[in-house]
Amino acid sequence: MDNEQARSILSLHRRMDEGNGDPRFREAEKVAERDRELAQWWAEEKDVDDAISAQLTNMPVPAGLKQRILSQTPPSTAPNKWLRPVLLAAACLVALAVLFGSWRSRSHPPMSLAEYRSQMVNFIDGYPPLALETKDLSQLTAFLARADAPRPSEIPKKLRELEPIGCRTLQFHGENVALICFRRENGTTAHLFIMKSAGLGHLSSRDTPAYAPSGKWMTAAWGEDGKAYLVLVEGDLAQIKNIVKTS
């Protein structure tokens, strides 16, 4: 089960379903436990459910509502007084939906290159498994195409000369991200991330990437053909410049 399948299954379940014994739900939860971004999304979903449930629990039920519904009173031209509390409750539900929809929107601020870089570094630091392991770059790009993930238009020459290891997909702010890994001569790994550049703001060109350190990693980012490229390597600025240089 991949992340997208897990997200779809989890989105169909609510907090009260956690103990229902559904094996696919359990499998989806395990996928979320292994993926930091998916785990954060699932935690936020449950927080929203808890908050709405608390509000509904505290909302008074109009007296005799059940009996009035069951009696199926014939409609009349005069306004039904007992309908007013029901309409009020419905209005409260709509207000709650708007309120928590706004809260969830605020919990996902606009994307930025700095955030993207930080999230991808955290992702790699978690030693994520690859979905496909092969030395054949064409097989890797074909896999990404089937997964509806962005493929690189052009890989820097020095990076392309390295031996491919494998690939996988992940998500950032709802956008599909492709990851291709290459084995460097010193035994470490170079990680290439590709996603749509929309929303990340202005990106440097491939001739002049934006370099930035992040923990033990040195990173390089640039934009080309509507895609954002990010390379992570263990090393210094000179090493990553050598890997991503255009000639």
Side-chain angles (χ1 to χ4, degrees):
M1 179 182 296
D2 60 24
N3 285 19
E4 281 303 301
Q5 292 171 323
R7 186 186 293 263
S8 297
I9 292 170
L10 291 174
S11 67
L12 297 175
H13 290 76
R14 299 275 63 89
R15 168 74 82 176
M16 68 285 294
D17 296 328
E18 290 187 353
N20 67 0
D22 183 345
R24 287 187 59 78
F25 175 68
R26 289 298 176 208
E27 185 181 355
E29 278 199 314
K30 290 180 181 178
V31 174
E33 290 171 1
R34 297 193 298 266
D35 186 275
R36 184 172 304 183
E37 183 178 352
L38 185 60
Q40 180 180 351
W41 169 83
W42 180 228
E44 290 173 355
E45 288 289 306
K46 291 190 287 188
D47 286 343
V48 171
D49 282 347
D50 288 343
I52 293 178
S53 296
Q55 292 293 330
L56 293 177
T57 299
N58 295 327
M59 185 180 296
V61 178
L65 176 60
K66 180 178 179 180
Q67 289 74 19
R68 287 167 181 165
I69 294 175
L70 294 176
S71 67
Q72 296 182 350
T73 305
S76 65
T77 55
N80 243 323
K81 291 184 179 180
W82 75 270
L83 279 175
R84 292 174 185 169
V86 178
L87 294 175
L88 178 59
C92 289
L93 288 175
V94 172
L96 281 172
V98 173
L99 171 64
F100 287 104
S102 300
W103 175 79
R104 292 176 68 184
S105 296
R106 289 195 298 270
S107 71
H108 295 285
M111 295 184 290
S112 70
L113 176 57
E115 182 193 4
Y116 176 54
R117 180 170 50 231
S118 175
Q119 289 291 331
M120 297 306 104
V121 167
N122 289 339
F123 181 75
I124 292 300
D125 281 340
Y127 301 99
L130 295 174
L132 174 64
E133 296 185 22
T134 177
K135 297 179 182 179
D136 190 331
L137 185 59
S138 64
Q139 289 187 27
L140 297 178
T141 54
F143 173 89
L144 295 174
R146 291 193 298 271
D148 196 28
R151 282 90 66 203
S153 302
E154 186 174 356
I155 299 175
K157 182 176 182 294
K158 287 290 186 180
L159 186 60
R160 192 172 62 250
E161 290 173 353
L162 299 179
E163 179 183 88
I165 299 174
C167 71
R168 64 163 293 156
T169 62
L170 60 148
Q171 283 210 335
F172 175 73
H173 282 260
E175 291 287 344
N176 288 334
V177 180
L179 167 63
I180 304 177
C181 300
F182 300 84
R183 182 174 287 107
R184 299 172 64 195
E185 295 87 345
N186 61 7
T188 62
T189 303
H191 305 277
L192 171 64
F193 292 93
I194 312 104
M195 71 170 287
K196 292 180 181 178
S197 59
L200 280 179
H202 176 71
L203 293 173
S204 303
S205 69
R206 191 159 67 95
D207 295 328
T208 56
Y211 300 103
S214 182
K216 67 179 181 180
W217 302 97
M218 181 59 69
T219 72
W222 68 93
E224 186 176 37
D225 296 333
K227 299 170 185 173
Y229 293 82
L230 176 68
V231 174
L232 274 61
V233 299
E234 295 180 69
D236 56 21
L237 181 59
Q239 292 182 52
I240 198 169
K241 279 187 173 181
N242 181 61
I243 286 178
V244 302
K245 66 182 181 181
T246 56
S247 61

